[in-house]
């Protein structure tokens, strides 16, 4: 009996554990609803704390729900700690709508590092996109001064990278300078500007990955899909963690698999509503479940370019 239990415990240790602190929606796919499914498919054990619980994402006409307060996340984490189940390989964070929650989150990450010094913190600093904030702007200073210094991996989009650094990204060179600035602000070995209209082409989105504190740079040019999506950044972040874990020494392949995973989900979603004159928010929800095979084994369509190694 004891031998069986020891074998079971050893198997559990082989399964990467993630504490994922993101938003949750009852209907649709954003936050933990977008990220937990692909992580489970790849064999990760995910413990989810929902920073908010909403009926649906905020692009719908009506939204109802609850927002987790700072003391709520402390309560949840302290229970995990007292039960001695707070040993994680990764912690990931996404949408947070309250500055005090974000400060508490930073303390939680520090405490997790005391339990496991090798834990990796993947931070998607969700603040806004397309030139505007959709969280209170007070979060910017907390991200810049408290979160960025402790993250191992930073995954901002173009708007978020610009806000964090205070620099406009108009060219590829601008993008690499901002990556270097973010590296210099803390311990981040990896910075990825997940998506942006960077450069002269209006038909492409660019994703830029800076690895080993800038020693390796990888760029991906992505055909633009003529629509907007909600939750795509959460899929990108989950896929990036998956493939970084599986291919730690191959940043080019990590970027290719991450981008192709995300693009496959978005392309399938777009095909589902492209013939609808004015699709509503429900019709534009990500076709995540329908993309199971692509999440497990992404297509090999979009190629990355190693700019520096």
């Amino acid at each position: 009996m004891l031998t069986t239990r020891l074998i079971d415990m050893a198997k559990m240790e082989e399964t990467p554990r993630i504490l994922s602190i993101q938003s949750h929606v009852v209907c649709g796919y954003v936050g933990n609803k977008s990220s937990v499914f692909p992580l489970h498919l790849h064999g990760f054990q995910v413990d989810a704390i929902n920073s908010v619980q909403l009926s649906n994402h905020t692009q719908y006409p009506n939204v109802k729900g609850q927002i987790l307060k700072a003391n709520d996340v402390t309560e949840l984490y302290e229970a995990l700690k007292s039960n001695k189940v707070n040993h994680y390989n990764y912690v990931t964070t996404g949408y947070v709508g309250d500055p005090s929650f974000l400060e508490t989150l930073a303390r939680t990450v520090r405490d997790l590092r005391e339990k496991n010094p090798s834990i990796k913190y993947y931070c998607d600093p969700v603040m806004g996109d397309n030139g505007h904030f959709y969280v209170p702007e007070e979060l910017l200073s907390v991200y810049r001064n408290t979160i960025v210094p402790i993250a191992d991996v930073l995954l901002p989009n173009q708007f978020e990278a610009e806000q964090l650094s205070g620099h406009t990204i108009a060219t590829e060179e601008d993008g690499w300078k901002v990556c270097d600035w973010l590296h210099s602000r803390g311990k981040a070995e990896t910075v990825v500007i997940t998506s942006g209209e960077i450069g002269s082409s209006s038909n492409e989105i660019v994703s830029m990955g800076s690895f080993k504190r800038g020693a390796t740079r990888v760029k991906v040019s992505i055909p633009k899909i003529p629509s907007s999506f909600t939750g795509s950044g959460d899929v990108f972040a989950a896929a990036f963690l998956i493939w970084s874990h599986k291919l730690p020494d191959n940043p080019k392949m990590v970027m290719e698999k991450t981008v192709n995973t995300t693009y496959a989900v978005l392309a399938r979603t777009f095909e589902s509503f492209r013939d609808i004159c004015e699709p509503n928010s429900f019709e534009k929800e990500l076709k995540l479940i329908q993309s199971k095979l692509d999440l497990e084994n992404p297509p090999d369509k979009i190629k990355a370019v190693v700019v520096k190694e």
Side-chain angles (χ1 to χ4, degrees):
M1 193 74 175
L2 179 60
T3 303
T4 302
R5 187 180 176 194
L6 289 172
I7 291 171
D8 289 342
M9 290 175 67
K11 286 180 178 178
M12 284 179 66
E13 285 300 313
E14 293 171 8
T15 303
R17 292 189 70 212
I18 300 173
L19 181 62
S20 178
I21 306 174
Q22 301 188 58
S23 61
H24 171 79
V25 290
V26 176
C27 173
Y29 294 96
V30 299
N32 277 324
K33 283 283 290 288
S34 281
S35 62
V36 172
F37 179 61
L39 288 163
H40 279 168
L41 287 176
H42 284 270
F44 291 82
Q45 180 175 317
V46 186
D47 295 347
I49 293 178
N50 299 323
S51 58
V52 299
Q53 176 173 268
L54 302 177
S55 55
N56 38 260
H57 66 67
T58 56
Q59 298 304 305
Y60 281 78
N62 300 296
V63 184
K64 299 290 183 181
Q66 302 81 38
I67 299 174
L68 207 67
K69 303 299 183 186
N71 62 311
D72 295 326
V73 73
T74 299
E75 216 172 66
L76 290 169
Y77 177 69
E78 287 301 321
L80 295 173
K81 186 176 178 180
S82 65
N83 288 325
K84 297 181 171 55
V85 292
N86 63 326
H87 187 284
Y88 293 97
N89 304 98
Y90 299 98
V91 56
T92 66
T93 60
Y95 176 86
V96 172
D98 177 69
S100 64
F101 187 106
L102 203 54
E103 294 278 9
T104 300
L105 191 153
R107 290 192 291 273
T108 302
V109 171
R110 293 190 190 98
D111 196 75
L112 286 165
R113 282 216 170 103
E114 289 187 16
K115 179 70 174 176
N116 176 19
S118 64
I119 191 172
K120 299 296 183 186
Y121 174 24
Y122 280 59
C123 173
D124 178 0
V126 178
M127 290 184 287
D129 202 0
N130 300 317
H132 70 275
F133 284 90
Y134 41 67
V135 299
E137 292 191 32
E138 306 94 270
L139 269 77
L140 175 58
S141 62
V142 184
Y143 272 115
R144 185 185 286 149
N145 300 322
T146 305
I147 299 297
V148 167
I150 65 172
D152 296 285
V153 177
L154 288 166
L155 299 164
N157 60 33
Q158 179 181 356
F159 172 78
E160 292 156 351
E162 290 176 333
Q163 295 301 314
L164 288 169
S165 65
H167 298 290
T168 300
I169 303 173
T171 66
E172 184 179 327
E173 187 57 34
D174 293 336
W176 298 127
K177 286 179 180 178
V178 166
C179 288
D180 288 341
W181 187 91
L182 289 169
H183 283 302
S184 73
R185 296 291 294 178
K187 70 193 302 292
E189 286 287 317
T190 303
V191 175
V192 180
I193 300 175
T194 58
S195 62
E197 296 184 356
I198 302 168
S200 57
S201 176
S202 60
N203 299 317
E204 292 179 337
I205 297 292
V206 174
S207 186
M208 305 172 67
S210 179
F211 299 80
K212 301 175 185 175
R213 298 189 71 83
T216 300
R217 293 173 173 175
V218 182
K219 173 188 170 184
V220 189
S221 298
I222 308 159
K224 187 182 288 187
I225 297 173
S227 184
S228 59
F229 301 92
T230 304
S232 55
D234 306 314
V235 176
F236 186 105
F240 190 82
L241 191 158
I242 289 164
W243 294 108
S244 295
H245 177 84
K246 292 188 172 189
L247 302 166
D249 300 317
N250 194 336
K252 178 177 182 289
M253 189 69 74
V254 169
M255 290 291 287
E256 286 181 347
K257 287 188 175 292
T258 299
V259 167
N260 277 292
T261 297
T262 309
Y263 191 83
V265 174
L266 299 187
R268 178 171 286 103
T269 302
F270 179 66
E271 286 301 316
S272 74
F273 66 76
R274 69 180 304 167
D275 294 329
I276 300 173
C277 182
E278 293 185 7
N280 60 33
S281 293
F282 182 74
E283 290 163 335
K284 293 180 69 175
E285 288 284 4
L286 296 181
K287 295 295 180 277
L288 194 71
I289 306 304
Q290 297 88 335
S291 302
K292 176 180 178 291
L293 296 179
D294 291 324
L295 293 169
E296 292 175 311
N297 186 25
D300 187 26
K301 293 181 179 179
I302 300 170
K303 298 296 185 181
V305 176
V306 177
V307 177
K308 175 186 175 184
E309 63 179 345

